[in-house]
Amino acid sequence: RDLPPPPAPVAPAGPLPPEALRNEYGAKQALAGAGVPVLPEKIARSAREASEAAQAMGFPVVLKVLSEDLPHKTEVGGVVLNLADAAAVAAAYDAMLARVRQKAPTARIDGVLVSPMARGGTELILGAKRDPVFGPVVVVGLGGIFAEIIQDVAVRPTPVEEAEAMEMLRSLKAFPVLDGARGRPRADLPAAARAIAALSRFAAAHAGEVAEIDINPLLLLPEGQGAVALDALLVPAAAQ
């Protein structure tokens, strides 16, 4: 009874482009269009392209393999962090693809994603799924190594406004970690609330096409510095 009236329903959106459901880059671009913050990234299809992209965006950078067949990139050696110069990027590009082809020889590879290396902040998990009773719901919790141990999440039917998204964050047992407990820098909670609200609207608009959305992690920076989705996956309804 104390909650504000629910927001107006979100009208179904038109179909997503095929690449949004194919790999991390496409998923991020679709989510960015809905208001979820992402980093400036480039797709490289050669070691030279990767080095040039890294030089343009500034070091250090991260390389991640792009493949619709490899949603868990780290399991096949498909992520390399903290590359500090062009030569290291070129060498990492070739070595990473060699590892991936050895461990997943049948995987279709769309290229390699070159991203700035994000540092600091607190990791959240942010996602959405279709509940058989309530329809699309949005989920947020503390990410990183704590996600599976604590299993501390807040769930709401979509869409949610920023005020309700903030209440989701405050309901977490881990909220003091975000709120500056024991001298920690206070996290940018309004940025997290904006990201939750944006994802909830996207999930509601695409409920017929997208069965699940996984943003892990959403890096929440110190107060006033924003938030950014470092990885994203859209699971098409047809896949379930």
Side-chain angles (χ1 to χ4, degrees), residues 120-124 142-143 146 177-178 184-185 187 217-222:
T122 304
E123 292 186 357
L124 298 179
L142 197 66
F146 304 106
V177 174
L178 306 176
R184 292 174 58 92
L218 179 81
L219 185 65
L220 187 56
L221 297 169

Side-chain angles (χ1 to χ4, degrees), residues 142-166:
L142 197 66
I145 61 173
F146 304 106
E148 294 184 2
I149 298 172
I150 302 176
Q151 296 186 357
D152 176 24
V153 297
V155 184
R156 297 286 190 281
T158 65
V160 300
E161 302 289 356
E162 290 179 26
E164 187 174 358
M166 187 68 77

